[in-house]
Amino acid sequence: MKKRRAYFIDASYIVKNNLTYISLLLKGKDVVRLYYQYDPYFLVDAPKDRKEELLAIKATTKRGHVVSPIRVEEVERKVEMKKKKMLKVYCKEPSDVPAIKHQVPYPCYEFSIPFARRFMFDMQLSPFYVITYEREGKLIKKIKSVEEPEDPPKLETMAFDIETYNPMGIPREEKDPITMISYCGKKRGVLTFKKSKKKFVETLEGEKEIIEKFNQIIKEENPDVLFGYNSANFDLPYLVTRAKKLKATFRLGRFRGTMRTLKKGLINGYDIDGRVHFDLYPMMRLFGFIGLIKAQKFTLDSVAEEVLGKKKIDVKKDQIWQLWDEGDIDKLCEYSMVDAELTSELGENFLPLEMEMASTAKMPLFQTTLSTSGQLVENLLMYHAAERGEIIPLRPVGEAIYERINAPIQGAFVKLPEPGIYENLAVLDFRGLYPSIIVSYNIDPETLLKDEESKQTFVSPTGARFSKKEIGLVPRVLDYLIDMRIKIKKQLKKIDKSSPAYVKMNARSHALKILSNSFYGYLGYARSRWYSRPCAESVTAWGRKHITETIEKAEKAGFQVLYADTDSVFLIYKNKKEVLEFMDDVNATLPEKMELELEGFYKRGVFVSKKGKEGKGAKKKYAMIGEDDRIKIRGFELVRRDWSEIAKETQLKVLEAILKEGSKEKAVKIVRDTITKLQEGKVPLKKLAINTQLNKDPRRYELASPELSAANKMLKAGMPVEKGSIISFVIGKKGKTISEKAEPLELAKDYDTDYYINNQILPSVMKILKELGYDEHSMKVGGKQKSLDSFFD
């Protein structure tokens, strides 16, 4: 029997000769697939003397097979922090579990956990950890240990992209050929079937040959990770369809060559045998949502510009087929090559973070790339529940979900600022407020006391009581994540930022932050296994308590509290030392895991009133300049994608003039110059584009809107539009209503000057300039243009 060590990458399962085997993907010198025989099971809350009754069950599977349990054992699990005897019912195949479970007349648990994940929980396997095992041939007989390595495995990567012939705008899989496939790995190149002078281009006989050559390149380079950008929705399904139609060989998998589609919520994935398909598009959307990247759109072009400072070659999608027909192959090849290179760079940039996310959340890398932060938290809790011998709660269904959705939880406390321009501002933040509250007060569905009287409790401002006797699963896991991140942040200060160690530890810090900040939301998420309204309510209630107490203490200490929101307070100060002393005084009264930190001192700040008479609109609407002259902006139009670039640009310049130079005269001149450029027709259409995302298919909208009008015009022109598409449109001169005037950027020829002055430029600066003493009643510019002197003078 051989003893080996290897990195654990992924797990799946197969059924062979009436036995179920876990299929383990391991990486040592080479990547191998080994097997471990393991029987699926579920738990039943029934007495020990019901074993024979359960063994006698006969059930019919969806495939029509009659099946029975193969054995039943008594086990012990924790339920509501108390030990309980249960029966463990083993089955031959994972598909037998739901069939047999439906015939059991007792409460059942853990019957819907994906089987490969079940094995990982039971064996406490973590992606990219090193496992030591004994094997005979391809069978693992025993897993002896699982250890966190000093360094993660080096994964070989390749990025790819396809170009298609698209005379109708949207390429048609059954008719329109793939004209190019670009790849970037150990080697780089473009495969096509028209001649090019570019050295990186290989010209083959036809479409079938470029597909098969790409297949051969994948086999030769043998990447562990295959990067794509929206490749699960477009490139891979297109390749599969065209290969089938042309009867071309297309088997990207490492061992069996297989690929299968996987749907996770609204996200599609391609599970490639023996490789990790990493589609960057859903990840970029998640990172945009949580604020890790600040791209306004999630196209490859926008994300590459935001993250890498690089852009694609300027070729519009509807021009590709024309360039192909006209024979401008060199330009197309360069365009395709850059797409693959940008995808590769983005992939390499985010792969360390995703690997850390996978290791931390205990979820294989491919699954991690498709998961929301809530799904990662759930997997992590399931892993640690198995470690602690606790029952994993059932996933809610039907009415339970709707009841939860219809019972919203009161949110955070907000103290609004008086609009104006202020100097000498100190911003204090509670470090990870909600995570630290969960840990400090042991907030967990299992520690929540019902009828039991106990003095050992934390009493929430809502009246909910949480036991102090034993730490719950949620605070225990969260405490570990918080402590780990604190240690890593201290170590990062001592490490060279250009070193591999810094890259790894910085990625881990980001992963820990993303997961830690998702726990509160998960407790209040309607489809959560660990949902608890009293828990979620208590977190926000304690949050409101701590922030309001801090405000009261600040005012007693003589500070003017300008603004407060959720976890931060903005103080107007005279002496920095007094701010630091106040912060220390507050920290002396807080639980151990909670801490008020100095976010920064700011020289000057602009705060404006909220939109709407009833206080509707963005609460956070301010801009401040720090001591390092960096500007921090929240809530203004320049951080939103539904305002034009010219409006954002003007607003930023106005804020810079006020904050950096204290010059209201320069601010007014900036607005005057912008309006003049608009009136003279000197603003490029690209700077006038407004971006809006479609929340549903454009054919399903009932009310007219500018973005819908533009989307319909795109569809009419044969351009691809679907749910989730971001529509870039310009308000043109033709039409009676704004909706009628909305033209897709790709088709726009002119712009409505009055619209952009009255609805973009002036609204973006109006409230800022109002704080400088300008009267807003004269800010509108109509068709019969008023003199702007009354506004500017």
Side-chain angles (χ1 to χ4, degrees), residues 175-192:
K175 292 185 177 181
D176 298 326
I178 294 168
T179 55
M180 291 179 185
I181 303 176
S182 53
Y183 60 93
C184 184
K186 295 171 189 170
K187 298 177 182 177
R188 56 189 283 275
V190 174
L191 308 172
T192 186

Side-chain angles (χ1 to χ4, degrees), residues 1 36 132-135 139-145:
M1 194 176 291
Y36 188 107
T132 303
Y133 57 93
E134 293 177 352
R135 62 177 279 196
L139 286 181
I140 293 177
K141 292 296 185 178
K142 186 177 182 180
I143 294 176
K144 296 180 72 69
S145 66

Side-chain angles (χ1 to χ4, degrees), residues 460-512:
S460 156
T462 66
R465 294 178 303 118
F466 298 92
S467 174
K468 292 181 180 180
K469 289 182 181 178
E470 189 175 349
I471 299 174
L473 172 70
V474 173
R476 171 75 75 186
V477 174
L478 193 46
D479 190 29
Y480 170 78
L481 299 180
I482 292 170
D483 281 351
M484 179 65 71
R485 185 160 187 258
I486 291 170
K487 289 176 187 174
I488 287 172
K489 286 179 77 175
K490 287 178 181 176
Q491 291 172 318
L492 282 170
K493 293 176 181 177
K494 304 172 186 175
I495 300 177
D496 178 6
K497 289 188 177 182
S498 63
S499 69
Y502 185 91
V503 172
K504 179 191 175 217
M505 292 183 71
N506 192 45
R508 177 168 291 188
S509 177
H510 277 302
L512 291 166

Side-chain angles (χ1 to χ4, degrees), residues 602-619:
Y602 294 87
K603 296 186 286 188
R604 187 178 292 118
V606 179
F607 291 76
V608 303
S609 56
K610 292 196 306 179
K611 181 182 177 182
K613 294 179 181 178
E614 297 177 9
K616 294 180 180 178
K619 292 175 182 175

Side-chain angles (χ1 to χ4, degrees), residues 14 84 100 147 215 256 265 270 319 355 369 490 515 559 567 605 721 736 769:
I14 63 167
K84 185 180 180 68
I100 293 172
E147 302 168 309
N215 196 85
R256 297 187 300 275
Y270 260 79
Q319 294 176 336
M355 290 175 69
T369 65
K490 287 178 181 176
L515 286 171
F559 294 102
D567 59 356
V721 179
K736 294 179 181 178
L769 294 175

